[in-house]
Amino acid sequence: MKQLTGFTPIAALPESTAASAKQQLLETIDWLQAEGAASETNLNLLIAIVQSILWSEESYTRFLQCGFDTAIELFDISSQNWDFEEAMLSRHNPRNWYEYKQLRQTRAVEA
C-alpha cells in the first residue's frame, strides 16, 4: 500500500500465518517469473492485493472482486470456442471457485 498511498500500515499478519503466507507469496512470484508474467505492473498489483488485507475487510473484498472480475473476463475470452456446458462446468471457470461463491454470498448479505 505504500506505493499506492504513500504510507505503510501499522497492522501485520499474525505470527502463526506469517511464515506460510510469505512462502505462498514467494511461490506465486516464482510461478509468475516462470510463466513470463512477472512484469512490474503485475508485481505491483500483487503487492497491493497482499497488503490490502492489512487495511480493512472492505478493502480486501474490493481487491478480491477486482481479481475475480479479471479472472472471469480472461476465462470468458479464452474459452469462447468451447462448448457452453463445458465452459460453465469447467474447474477453470472462476464462477465455480469456492472463494468466488463465498464472496458473492458475502456481498449479497451486505446488499
Side-chain angles (χ1 to χ4, degrees):
M1 284 306 219
K2 184 174 183 178
Q3 294 86 355
L4 298 176
T5 63
F7 59 92
T8 305
I10 297 172
L13 289 172
E15 191 65 34
S16 62
T17 62
S20 64
K22 181 179 178 181
Q23 183 60 36
Q24 287 180 320
L25 178 59
L26 293 173
E27 289 172 5
T28 301
I29 292 169
D30 288 342
W31 178 79
L32 285 171
Q33 289 174 336
E35 294 294 320
S39 67
E40 184 176 346
T41 301
N42 286 348
L43 293 176
N44 283 338
L45 286 170
L46 185 59
I47 290 167
I49 291 167
V50 169
Q51 292 179 344
S52 72
I53 63 172
L54 302 176
W55 286 91
S56 69
E57 188 173 327
E58 179 185 349
S59 175
Y60 182 60
T61 301
R62 286 191 317 233
F63 273 112
L64 282 179
Q65 186 62 56
C66 179
F68 281 123
D69 290 346
T70 303
I72 288 169
E73 184 175 343
L74 291 173
F75 176 80
D76 288 347
I77 290 168
S78 67
S79 65
Q80 63 186 354
N81 293 326
W82 294 14
D83 177 63
F84 178 77
E85 287 185 25
E86 179 186 356
M88 289 299 104
L89 297 175
S90 172
R91 67 181 180 90
H92 300 292
N93 186 342
R95 295 175 188 93
N96 296 331
W97 297 347
Y98 174 78
E99 293 84 359
Y100 178 71
K101 292 175 183 179
Q102 289 294 104
L103 181 64
R104 284 186 55 194
Q105 287 178 348
T106 301
R107 295 190 67 105
V109 168
E110 290 174 357

